[in-house]
Amino acid sequence: VQLQASGGGLVQAGDSLRLSCVASESTFSSYAIGWYRQGPGKERELVAAISRAGSTNYADFVKGRFTISRDNAINTVRLQMNHLEPEDTAVYYCNTVLYSDYIWTILSLGSWGQGTQVTVSS
């Protein structure tokens, strides 16, 4: 399945953004989806994931600030990001994942798209 991430932008610290990940196929509901990010000079890291059934898992650094959700009717997974910090500056990607209740074992499965740039100024 092909995924397209969008919704990034330039915001100030404390602001909010909502990212969207739209799938090209109606079989989207069969996939667990993860949001990843890669900051300048950093490795790509998992931010949040949602299972096919809607269970969610978050990296500690976004707990309480970010919310992942899915709407299978429109083949979309969203990432609501509140209280953004300069450290959240990164390119954000979505990908299919092998979901787990233990975030450190969640694995990306598909190829990486272009992502969407999020820049948070202080």
Side-chain angles (χ1 to χ4, degrees):
V1 61
Q2 289 187 327
L3 302 174
Q4 180 66 49
S6 64
L10 172 62
V11 297
Q12 293 186 331
D15 285 350
S16 299
L17 275 176
R18 189 176 73 171
L19 306 184
S20 294
C21 174
V22 180
S24 60
E25 300 176 10
S26 60
T27 56
F28 173 75
S29 61
S30 301
Y31 298 92
I33 302 294
W35 279 100
Y36 292 77
R37 71 185 187 187
Q38 186 167 18
K42 298 181 180 179
E43 294 187 353
R44 188 174 288 150
E45 58 187 356
L46 179 64
V47 174
I50 187 165
S51 72
R52 293 177 297 173
S55 298
T56 59
N57 212 330
Y58 297 91
D60 286 344
F61 52 79
V62 301
K63 281 183 179 178
R65 298 190 298 126
F66 291 11
T67 303
I68 189 171
S69 62
R70 68 187 303 154
D71 187 343
N72 292 332
I74 56 172
N75 297 343
T76 299
V77 167
R78 295 189 176 97
L79 185 68
Q80 178 67 42
M81 306 187 296
N82 298 328
H83 306 294
L84 283 162
E85 304 168 351
E87 293 74 22
D88 296 318
T89 294
V91 179
Y92 284 71
Y93 304 85
C94 56
N95 204 341
T96 54
V97 299
L98 183 64
Y99 186 83
S100 167
D101 289 337
Y102 303 98
I103 193 167
W104 59 88
T105 65
I106 293 175
L107 301 176
S108 61
L109 298 176
S111 57
W112 297 103
Q114 287 189 322
T116 186
Q117 176 70 48
V118 173
T119 303
V120 185
S121 64
S122 57

